[in-house]
Amino acid sequence: MDINRANIANLTSLWEHYGAAPLADESTWPFKVNHVWPHRCWHPEPGSLTSMAPLAEARAGVMFPLWPDLHGASLQFPEERELALKHAGWDCVLAQTAMYLPLSVSDYPPTSDKPITSAKLVVRNITRVEEVSSWIEVVNDAFGYRVDARAIAPLLECEQAQLYVGVWAGEVVASALLYYTGEVVGLHQVALKQTHQGQGLAKSMMQDLLRLAVASGAQYMVLQASAAGRPLYENLGFITQFEIRSYSNRA
């Protein structure tokens, strides 16, 4: 398995589940776009694109992610494509690092089916629509954007997705999404309310999520780390793969 391509395949498959459509007409295939949150417009192989012209069809405010040509020998960021985007009026608004971790039962032994309890946090799977609002509240507070419940609620019926909250002292303070594609599990939307950051809760939740992933039988966990989150993932043993930069248009 090519773990680099598996990371992106997991991410783009999740975007599909959020609700995706063709960017415009057949001339823009295979560009796709989310018409609701997370407002991504993407191409499955942006690092190998020879023309960014189809992006002229994208509405203002969407984000287009760019990563290296994963079929090539080098994972160097495609600077020429970035220059083409900037020339067309697209600015970099988000930088992330793709990372992965081989999962080991010895490192994270599975637990029972009961809610996972760490020293400070109880991690609980949410299964009802009325619980989605608390998950969204954490994400909005941590990242400063507005998640659309129309994109999240359908995931409760998706076998590949599992939504989790972290409860501390009776309050929902953390969120996470595990998304499975084959033997890979993607970690997404890991968030902690701003009032509870810096207390070790993020690491506590991560350790429980890793145990859940191991219990599922997954062989690898993949993610896309922000600059703020990367030190935590490195501390847990995640391996750096390549850079992802997302751009928003000024149209």
Side-chain angles (χ1 to χ4, degrees), residues 160-244:
Q160 293 173 256
Q162 294 179 347
L163 295 169
Y164 292 93
V165 292
V167 182
W168 185 74
E171 179 184 0
V172 174
V173 300
S175 67
L177 165 61
L178 295 183
Y179 184 77
Y180 295 85
T181 46
E183 60 185 16
V184 170
V185 55
L187 179 68
H188 307 275
Q189 299 304 317
V190 177
L192 195 66
K193 281 189 175 181
Q194 295 185 39
T195 54
H196 290 76
Q197 294 177 6
Q199 303 175 35
L201 297 180
K203 184 174 182 179
S204 173
M205 185 162 188
M206 276 299 306
Q207 291 171 333
D208 288 345
L209 291 170
L210 285 165
R211 281 191 279 272
L212 285 164
V214 168
S216 75
Q219 299 299 305
Y220 299 93
M221 179 176 279
V222 298
L223 55 82
Q224 303 80 39
S226 65
R230 183 172 173 175
L232 169 62
Y233 301 127
E234 289 177 335
N235 181 263
L236 290 167
F238 279 81
I239 300 165
T240 296
Q241 296 174 272
F242 51 88
E243 188 175 1
I244 303 171

Side-chain angles (χ1 to χ4, degrees), residues 91-103:
D91 298 318
C92 183
V93 294
L94 176 65
Q96 297 170 294
T97 302
M99 308 181 79
Y100 79 98
L101 179 70
L103 296 175

